[in-house]
Amino acid sequence: MRMRFFLLPLVLVLATNCRSGLTQTAATAPNSAAERVPVVLELFTSEGCSSCPPADALLAKLAEQQPVAGAELIALEEHVDYWDHQGWNDPFSSAQWTQRQRDYAVGLADHGVYTPELVVNGRSGFVGSRAAETYRAITGAIAQPHTEVSVSVLKAENNKREWFRVEAGKLVGAQQNDTAEVWLAVTETGLHNAVSGGENAGQDLHHAPVVRWLHKAGNAARDATPSFAGESELKLDSAWKRRNLRIVAFVQEKRSHHILGAAAIRLDE
């Protein structure tokens, strides 16, 4: 059965101070010399695809072990819906993720929509189970200029409603003819499913951090510092396990789809 989402619309207000009376848990700033550079790994996958489990496993390993020196790997596993008519309806699939992959296909070198596809920082896409190519792309992403992004969880009044704050520093590496958008995501770890149909029938599939929700918060200002700052309220779905949730924020160009900077924090940190 497809899970339903109960999320309040996110209203981000440009601000310089945190919500009054709330305690902030600060996220690390990626531009510090002592910190790792955030690299966003988006895997387009499906429980109906027999070649996807190895890619899911690779992404999970990267997210859990963080094996690349100098990189903070932020995993986003996005389940597409175009496999759902082939014997198994993936409960994590969404047309939103399919459209996101199609948007990437316009600019990426492979010009295709397929699973499993791994997109690294919005700049390169390839078969997601290719470990060597993945490590090379991550190394290349570390060397790119990046914008500082921070996401902070603010003290909540209860376990159903959360407040958090997002801030992006001065844009670095942005193109003059593009628009830098700020995106927010919720991911959940520890998800698995016993598949009873399709190409993976009979398997218990375990997943990397699955994207539960993705939302555009607004645009970053090209010449401002910070280029974006705001707070948002989030109502959690009762089906989600709070201890497994992360909030991810990233700045991405609308046309090139290049991710300029990112940050992630566990909800319970």
Side-chain angles (χ1 to χ4, degrees):
M1 178 180 296
R2 187 179 301 277
M3 295 182 179
R4 294 179 295 171
F5 293 85
F6 300 91
L7 287 165
L8 294 178
L10 287 183
V11 181
L12 282 162
V13 181
L14 292 180
T16 57
N17 298 314
C18 296
R19 182 173 169 82
S20 176
L22 300 182
T23 301
Q24 181 176 6
T25 303
T28 56
N31 272 355
S32 169
E35 301 297 336
R36 295 169 296 158
V37 177
V39 178
V40 177
L41 307 177
E42 294 182 74
L43 178 66
F44 295 95
T45 185
S46 172
E47 289 188 343
C49 161
S50 61
S51 59
C52 285
D56 298 349
L58 175 60
L59 184 64
K61 176 183 176 181
L62 293 170
E64 292 169 6
Q65 299 182 8
Q66 297 290 322
V68 181
E72 177 193 356
L73 304 179
I74 300 175
L76 302 178
E77 188 173 289
E78 299 168 54
H79 289 232
V80 298
D81 67 349
Y82 50 80
W83 279 90
D84 285 359
H85 65 283
Q86 299 190 34
W88 175 252
N89 288 327
D90 187 333
F92 307 116
S93 67
S94 171
Q96 184 181 3
W97 317 144
T98 299
Q99 185 57 54
R100 184 167 175 82
Q101 187 184 27
R102 287 172 178 160
D103 292 341
Y104 272 133
V106 175
L108 293 178
D110 54 9
H111 295 291
V113 173
Y114 59 89
T115 56
E117 181 184 28
L118 184 67
V119 177
V120 179
N121 262 5
R123 296 175 181 268
S124 60
F126 45 86
V127 176
S129 55
R130 295 177 179 171
E133 192 166 358
T134 299
Y135 281 91
R136 285 196 298 270
I138 292 170
T139 301
I142 296 172
Q144 294 289 335
H146 57 279
T147 299
E148 284 192 15
V149 178
S150 68
V151 56
S152 307
V153 178
L154 308 178
K155 186 176 180 181
E157 298 177 0
N158 55 59
N159 288 332
K160 295 182 179 179
R161 294 177 185 272
E162 298 288 342
W163 279 88
F164 60 95
R165 176 179 174 81
V166 177
E167 185 168 316
K170 184 175 179 59
L171 294 179
V172 178
Q175 301 183 54
Q176 289 295 324
N177 61 345
D178 216 329
T179 301
E181 300 177 331
V182 179
W183 288 85
L184 305 172
V186 175
T187 66
E188 184 175 0
T189 59
L191 295 173
H192 65 97
N193 207 22
V195 178
S196 60
E199 293 186 358
N200 291 314
Q203 295 191 51
D204 185 12
L205 300 182
H206 291 251
H207 300 298
V210 173
V211 177
R212 289 302 212 170
W213 173 82
L214 181 67
H215 175 80
K216 178 187 170 184
N219 295 335
R222 179 172 297 279
D223 298 319
T225 305
S227 60
F228 182 90
E231 297 172 7
S232 179
E233 183 183 17
L234 172 67
K235 184 177 180 181
L236 302 181
D237 190 317
S238 60
W240 302 346
K241 292 185 178 179
R242 178 188 174 87
R243 66 180 181 274
N244 293 337
L245 298 180
R246 296 185 88 193
I247 304 296
V248 178
F250 58 94
V251 179
Q252 184 170 36
E253 291 186 317
K254 183 176 182 179
R255 294 181 183 176
S256 73
H257 302 299
H258 293 171
I259 292 178
L260 306 179
I265 190 169
R266 294 188 184 279
L267 195 57
D268 279 339
E269 283 187 349

